[in-house]
Amino acid sequence: MKILLQAATIYHPQSEHHLQKKNILIQDGIITYIGSETQEADETIATEGLCVSAGWVDMFAFVGEPGLEYKENLHSLAAAAAAGGFTEIVCLPNTEPVVQTKGAVNYVKSIAQQLPVSLLPAAAITVDTHSKDLTEMIDLHRAGAVAFTDGTKPLQGADVLLKALQYVQLFDGLLMNKAEHTRLTEHGQMHEGEVSTRLGMKGIPALAEEVMVARDLQLLAYTGGRMHFSLLSTAAAIEAVRKAKAEGLHVTCDVASYQAAFTDETITPFDTNYKVAPPFRGETDVAAIKQGLQDGTIDALVSAHMPHDTEAKRLEFDLADFGIINLETSFAVANSTLSGVLSTEQLVAKFTSGPRRILRLAEPQIEEGEAANLTLFNPDTSWTPSEAATKSKSKNSPFFGQELKGRVIGTIHKGQAVLNQYF
């Protein structure tokens, strides 16, 4: 099978073709030609504004299989990921049972072999993600776990985190944590501020994130090792990471690609599709996120894909589960809301080289003779996502019916091309 990408602008700083328009021929999953001459192919992708980059990586996606397949299974996750431009996905361990054994890691890897997306299992730090006893992390690392995290469950015990940071240094592993002091966020529904007071809702204070970031950084300075903060949302937390990096700590962080799309002032009140954790915060926090992305304090953007069935979302706001689906809209939301903040080249880096550097993954090369691991996109095309068109099994998104700028055309990875119908 020969696929020709015609007049595609290449976004890949490591390539001599960076920011140049080239014809790219892919045969049986291998890049066989990059140049200006026309090539014969079985399928030609020729569309105005076609761009290509190394395949995108997502570091924070929930999948329900095993145990919660009605929310999302591995096949639907891969379909949504490919539609959103992702070729590699870090799967959170919050399944039933939790991903905390070699068998669970191998199960994800075995299913992924047949899919057009590489599924990278993250294993739990603690048994059943209860923040108490450590899992067998060395065995899990050898089985193929790319990182260790309790996923949606913030790690609470300082003693457990300290031991975990010491433990992963035996194999230079990566510890990921969602910074949240759960006693401070208990019963919280949205960002604590004037809006929560006006609506009569229990607030989620910025302090809950900030005290945990400060604690974790102190422990990291004491123990050494590598640590990554998932889903930061507050100005003070981002500033703390900025200072820690300047001091030489091995710390990285990400934010959800949608975090700057709304504030607590702009969400639709009581609409559970705007209920996320951490919550949409204030203007100061959004400005800090944008600054952190610009200056490199924030290393990556993630989908924070959290699929939920109808029964978990169509409830009173205080009873509904946190989270939205975002794999298919991740790039478009970031591209729309960060216009003027990041260039297309900088934005793409937050989905490609940033995550790979954190996870120590090899960077795909866009060169002749290399295996194709590519994302095809157009940053200038507008489109409107819809519930009917989504590949996810769940429908909890605030972006349905909203026009977004930046469309994924498809992916080519593992010898498989997945193309969105519109191109």
Side-chain angles (χ1 to χ4, degrees):
M1 177 71 173
K2 292 183 179 181
I3 300 173
L4 178 65
L5 311 181
Q6 188 167 299
T9 301
I10 297 173
Y11 283 87
H12 196 65
Q14 295 89 345
S15 171
E16 62 178 305
H17 309 296
H18 181 49
L19 301 182
Q20 298 179 28
K21 278 190 177 183
K22 297 290 182 181
N23 294 332
I24 304 173
L25 184 67
I26 299 146
Q27 182 174 356
D28 298 328
I30 303 297
I31 300 171
T32 58
Y33 175 81
I34 301 176
S36 302
E37 297 180 7
T38 302
Q39 301 289 309
E40 291 186 3
D42 301 305
E43 183 168 11
T44 298
I45 301 173
T47 180
E48 187 70 26
L50 174 63
C51 299
V52 61
S53 73
W56 299 346
V57 180
D58 185 38
M59 292 184 62
F60 198 96
F62 173 83
V63 58
E65 187 176 354
L68 301 167
E69 289 91 345
Y70 59 92
K71 293 177 181 283
E72 198 84 279
N73 61 36
L74 293 169
H75 286 80
S76 64
L77 179 84
F86 294 100
T87 61
E88 293 162 88
I89 298 288
V90 174
C91 299
L92 300 181
N94 308 98
T95 50
E96 294 181 1
V98 170
V99 178
Q100 58 190 10
T101 65
K102 291 185 290 184
V105 170
N106 287 327
Y107 175 76
V108 175
K109 290 169 59 181
S110 65
I111 296 294
Q113 289 179 359
Q114 60 187 303
L115 299 175
V117 174
S118 295
L119 302 181
L120 310 174
I125 299 171
T126 64
V127 175
D128 295 328
T129 64
H130 286 168
S131 289
K132 293 181 180 178
D133 301 317
L134 295 181
T135 59
E136 297 292 339
M137 287 190 278
I138 291 178
D139 286 346
L140 290 164
H141 167 71
R142 289 172 178 168
V146 296
F148 294 88
T149 175
D150 279 357
T152 59
K153 303 286 186 68
L155 196 60
Q156 295 301 294
D159 58 331
V160 177
L161 179 61
L162 185 147
K163 292 173 184 174
L165 281 168
Q166 293 173 326
Y167 199 58
V168 295
Q169 289 181 64
L170 297 173
F171 51 88
D172 194 27
L174 175 67
L175 213 64
M176 298 166 55
N177 193 25
K178 182 171 176 281
E180 177 190 334
H181 195 304
T182 55
R183 294 299 296 272
L184 294 177
T185 62
E186 196 169 10
H187 306 304
Q189 302 299 317
M190 63 176 296
H191 176 59
E192 183 182 81
E194 292 184 10
V195 179
S196 65
T197 302
R198 186 165 66 244
L199 295 177
M201 283 203 249
K202 176 78 164 60
I204 298 174
L207 183 68
E209 178 174 296
E210 293 157 5
V211 297
M212 292 303 266
V213 168
R215 180 205 73 172
D216 291 1
L217 288 174
Q218 283 184 300
L219 292 173
L220 180 64
Y222 178 76
T223 62
R226 293 194 297 135
M227 183 152 193
H228 178 82
F229 290 110
S230 300
L231 309 187
L232 291 188
S233 67
T234 71
I238 293 167
E239 178 59 25
V241 171
R242 182 180 288 113
K243 290 181 179 178
K245 286 187 172 187
E247 292 168 1
L249 293 184
H250 292 160
V251 59
T252 52
C253 68
D254 65 55
V255 299
S257 73
Y258 58 68
Q259 196 67 46
F262 306 104
T263 68
D264 58 337
E265 292 276 1
T266 61
I267 63 173
T268 302
F270 306 111
D271 185 338
T272 60
N273 283 324
Y274 294 85
K275 185 177 181 181
V276 293
F280 294 111
R281 298 202 182 269
E283 290 286 358
T284 301
D285 300 303
V286 169
I289 288 171
K290 292 178 177 179
Q291 179 60 44
L293 288 165
Q294 282 183 322
D295 66 20
T297 300
I298 299 170
D299 302 89
L301 289 165
V302 299
S303 72
H305 181 73
M306 288 295 299
H308 290 299
D309 58 292
T310 301
E311 287 75 14
K313 274 295 188 178
R314 291 189 181 175
L315 299 168
E316 294 86 347
F317 198 91
D318 60 328
L319 298 177
D321 286 348
F322 289 92
I324 63 176
I325 59 171
N326 190 42
L327 275 172
E328 294 166 83
T329 52
S330 190
F331 171 75
V333 169
N335 189 57
S336 300
T337 58
L338 299 173
S339 176
V341 177
L342 298 178
S343 65
T344 300
E345 181 180 353
Q346 291 170 320
L347 181 60
V348 167
K350 300 297 182 183
F351 289 108
T352 54
S353 56
R356 286 193 174 90
R357 184 173 60 252
I358 296 165
L359 296 167
R360 303 261 174 99
L361 300 177
E363 184 80 17
Q365 299 303 310
I366 305 180
E367 301 292 345
E368 293 180 5
E370 295 287 339
N373 182 348
L374 306 173
T375 297
L376 320 178
F377 64 100
N378 185 330
D380 299 317
T381 296
S382 295
W383 65 295
T384 302
S386 68
E387 183 175 324
T390 184
K391 303 293 185 183
S392 175
K393 295 185 75 172
S394 296
K395 314 300 178 185
N396 51 310
S397 171
F399 301 111
F400 290 151
Q402 293 194 26
E403 187 175 84
L404 300 173
K405 184 180 179 182
R407 187 72 193 261
V408 172
I409 295 170
T411 61
I412 302 174
H413 181 45
K414 298 199 292 188
Q416 301 181 56
V418 179
L419 303 176
N420 290 326
Q421 293 180 352
Y422 90 101
F423 91 89

